[in-house]
Amino acid sequence: MKLSIVIPAYNCGPLLHKGLQYLARQDAEWFQTEQAELIVVDDGSSDDTSLYIERIRSVLPKLRYMYRPRDENSGRSCARNTGLREAAGEYVCFLDAGMLVPPNFVSRIFTLYEKSPAFVTLHSMYGIDLDPAVTDTSVVEGITPDNIEEIAVKLNKLPIWKDRRESFFLYMRDDIQQLALPWELGYSGAITVPARTALDIGGFDESYKGWGVEDIDFAYRLHREGVNFRSDRQAYAIHYPHESASSGDRQAFSDYQNRIQMHIKFKELETELFPEYQGHFYGAFIEKMNTLQLPKLADYTTEELDKVSACAALSSRTLLIGTDDPELVRHLNVTHLYVHNRPTLELFRAEFPSRVVECSLGLRTFLPENSFGLCVVTDIIRVLHPRIRVKLLRELTRISREVILLLTAGTWAPETALLAPNETGQPAKEEETAHEQTQTAPAFLQFDLIRSPRIRHVMEPLFWCEEDDLHDLLGRIKRDKVSDPTS
């Protein structure tokens, strides 16, 4: 087995030099053999980065320094791809410049991959969300390769330093493949991947500009390729505090734009609402979509369905959003179906080959205006976040001449309507859903309330909306469209 460590660098000579000192002090002599290599890709620095490399060559003789002139392709993705293409290892560990690693970092990676090779490993990172301008960083001022493990123990007790992903890592016992979206946690500051697979998927997408998402895109494609994900808290990295080139607001805006770009690229349900969820709440939303049992939420009368079917018959293109009940589809005369999870997608494509079935909620369709004569939305809209409801209805009124809300009468809030599947694929017992969320629940379930990884009720609340409120909302959106047809 051989490991390649790839570090992209741009105008961060002192920070890079500091991180390399920790790699030079690994407890195994990997860098003195052919079993490991270290590649630094200088992405056109103008701060004499090469001089800092020369200072440390004596203790890192296997270090390979690559300089590429700054051009329109420059960026973290391009630098990482350059190192990936040059890497000779079976596995590649991407580290950001200035990441300080413990003495067992390399040997721990070898141990992991000798036991189970076909994995993406997400390494815990301390301080990745820390702003040194507003946070006391004195705890790491005296850090050295000799005391890094002692410092890490202290950092583990300071919430501001902890990796925002740590709750997932701990709860899943590092088997984060059980999460609905393990790729959502795929930060590239410290990540190890099988080199061949990384090359096969094309490495990092260099079209992303600014800050954010290029690493999530990379992890998403690894996930689609079938590679399993795990986390590791022993081979951790400490993100040494330093000033960022961009402010938090600029980073947030760039991240949002790049999330939209990611959905334009893939056009999948998993990426559709990704721009709307910051932090790690998006996996909770997809988990909810995967476990929704819509027949429990809806009880439509034959009279209601006949009326909708008659309306649908008047249009050549009709869309139904939000059902997993084949009988409902048979009753309604629609040509297109948007479903909210992949099992339903496969079922409907098999049962209704003459209809167009897509895995989508309809929030971002990229369709021309008035693509449908009629769009029918079921009670699924009542469990979405209020902000998502507004955006969804605006998009549907854009792509459809008429929108109908097919809602169950009354104000019933389904406190036990969502039952996640257990190991047998059957609904979980009601006592296992004692902590099921309702409209008044907190924004995120505490991990100690989740009964088992199989059930995984890592969900946001059921934002159950009353029927009149939804009709009023749709009415306002329709009036806005009439008063401002360009909106």
Side-chain angles (χ1 to χ4, degrees):
M1 170 183 164
K2 186 170 183 178
L3 173 71
S4 298
I5 297 178
V6 173
I7 302 177
Y10 176 65
N11 285 345
C12 58
L15 198 64
L16 172 65
H17 183 264
K18 188 174 187 66
L20 292 177
Q21 294 177 46
Y22 290 75
L23 287 169
R25 293 284 298 276
Q26 293 300 292
D27 58 11
E29 296 180 354
W30 303 114
F31 295 118
Q32 278 67 46
T33 71
E34 298 300 321
Q35 290 183 278
E37 66 175 351
L38 177 58
I39 302 173
V40 173
V41 182
D42 185 344
D43 196 25
S45 298
S46 57
D47 68 342
D48 296 325
T49 292
S50 60
L51 297 181
Y52 289 97
I53 295 294
E54 292 307 315
R55 291 181 188 175
I56 203 163
R57 276 198 184 277
S58 60
V59 290
L60 280 174
K62 297 294 184 181
L63 187 154
R64 296 171 59 192
Y65 172 69
M66 303 178 62
Y67 178 87
R68 62 175 310 278
R70 198 77 177 165
D71 58 26
E72 66 276 5
N73 296 318
S74 289
R76 289 181 294 272
S77 292
C78 183
R80 292 184 187 120
N81 286 341
T82 300
L84 174 62
R85 288 190 294 267
E86 292 294 323
E90 300 164 61
Y91 302 94
V92 175
C93 174
F94 294 101
L95 282 179
D96 281 353
M99 285 293 187
L100 315 184
V101 298
N104 70 333
F105 184 79
V106 172
S107 59
R108 172 64 177 172
I109 293 176
F110 270 82
T111 299
L112 285 171
Y113 282 93
E114 285 168 352
K115 290 182 178 179
S116 47
F119 275 85
V120 171
T121 303
L122 309 182
H123 302 279
S124 286
M125 295 184 285
Y126 291 100
I128 54 175
D129 297 318
L130 185 146
D131 182 354
V134 298
T135 303
D136 179 13
T137 61
S138 59
V139 65
V140 297
E141 285 180 358
I143 192 170
T144 69
D146 295 318
N147 67 11
I148 182 173
E149 293 173 290
E150 298 172 19
I151 298 295
V153 172
K154 296 179 181 179
L155 298 182
N156 200 43
K157 299 176 182 179
L158 301 174
I160 192 65
W161 282 89
K162 285 187 177 182
D163 192 324
R164 71 175 74 164
R165 306 167 298 174
E166 185 181 14
S167 295
F168 293 92
F169 294 173
L170 289 171
Y171 173 67
M172 305 311 295
R173 295 182 178 88
D174 294 318
D175 183 15
I176 56 174
Q177 186 64 29
Q178 295 186 72
L179 295 171
L181 304 179
W183 53 266
E184 184 190 12
L185 312 179
Y187 300 165
S188 58
I191 183 173
T192 301
V193 302
R196 184 68 264 162
T197 307
L199 287 167
D200 288 344
I201 66 169
F204 290 83
D205 186 338
E206 299 176 17
S207 68
Y208 290 100
K209 302 303 178 184
W211 189 91
V213 179
E214 86 287 342
D215 49 359
I216 304 301
D217 174 289
F218 178 66
Y220 181 60
R221 285 180 287 121
L222 288 169
H223 177 69
R224 282 161 55 110
E225 196 69 14
V227 186
N228 290 330
F229 281 63
R230 67 183 167 205
S231 52
D232 188 72
R233 287 165 282 128
Q234 293 185 43
Y236 59 84
I238 297 175
H239 184 255
Y240 194 75
H242 61 279
E243 293 184 4
S244 174
S246 59
S247 68
D249 289 342
R250 288 203 303 271
Q251 286 184 352
F253 179 76
S254 174
D255 182 73
Y256 182 79
Q257 295 300 317
N258 284 346
R259 287 174 183 234
I260 292 176
Q261 178 180 333
M262 183 175 172
H263 179 55
I264 292 172
K265 176 180 176 180
F266 295 106
K267 295 183 176 65
E268 300 280 0
L269 176 66
E270 289 86 352
T271 60
E272 185 177 9
L273 274 75
F274 189 44
E276 309 305 324
Y277 287 80
Q278 299 300 313
H280 294 131
F281 293 94
Y282 192 51
F285 171 78
I286 294 297
E287 190 71 71
K288 178 162 70 175
M289 292 299 100
N290 289 340
T291 56
L292 269 177
Q293 297 177 31
L294 289 169
K296 290 181 175 293
L297 304 182
D299 184 19
Y300 309 120
T301 66
T302 302
E303 182 181 3
E304 288 174 318
L305 298 182
D306 287 343
K307 288 181 180 179
V308 173
S309 184
C311 292
L314 300 176
S315 176
S316 60
R317 285 172 58 88
T318 50
L319 172 65
L320 172 63
I321 296 178
T323 183
D324 48 21
D325 183 4
E327 292 303 319
L328 179 60
V329 177
R330 293 188 184 97
H331 202 125
L332 299 180
N333 188 23
V334 296
T335 60
H336 292 66
L337 297 162
Y338 283 177
V339 298
H340 55 283
N341 57 45
R342 297 199 177 279
T344 305
L345 177 72
E346 295 173 4
L347 171 66
F348 280 13
R349 282 182 172 173
E351 292 211 17
F352 307 107
S354 63
R355 310 194 196 205
V356 178
V357 187
E358 303 291 344
C359 197
S360 173
L361 281 176
L363 188 79
R364 288 184 173 86
T365 66
F366 308 108
L367 294 173
E369 290 188 11
N370 299 326
S371 294
F372 299 99
L374 174 69
C375 174
V376 181
V377 188
T378 73
D379 281 288
I380 193 173
I381 195 172
R382 302 173 81 164
V383 303
L384 300 177
H385 189 282
R387 178 163 48 87
I388 303 301
R389 285 189 208 126
V390 174
K391 290 191 174 186
L392 174 61
L393 288 178
R394 283 178 178 163
E395 175 67 357
L396 298 184
T397 56
R398 184 187 71 80
I399 65 172
S400 181
R401 289 187 174 87
E402 180 63 26
V403 176
I404 292 178
L405 296 176
L406 180 61
L407 304 176
T408 304
T411 59
W412 171 71
E415 293 187 358
T416 60
L418 301 185
L419 302 180
N422 57 23
E423 293 186 27
T424 64
Q426 300 300 315
K429 296 178 181 179
E430 287 197 9
E431 60 265 23
E432 292 180 312
T433 63
H435 299 290
E436 188 59 73
Q437 298 190 75
T438 64
Q439 195 172 14
T440 59
F444 201 60
L445 266 181
Q446 296 297 316
F447 283 101
D448 59 0
L449 300 185
I450 307 170
R451 295 304 182 93
S452 77
R454 288 289 182 179
I455 296 175
R456 300 199 310 278
H457 278 164
V458 189
M459 298 186 197
E460 58 177 12
L462 281 172
F463 295 99
W464 189 257
C465 182
E466 304 227 1
E467 184 179 6
D468 291 343
D469 294 334
L470 268 176
H471 283 296
D472 289 345
L473 173 60
L474 178 58
R476 290 198 302 272
I477 290 174
K478 287 180 177 179
R479 290 193 295 273
D480 290 344
K481 181 182 178 182
V482 172
S483 61
D484 184 10
T486 62
S487 64

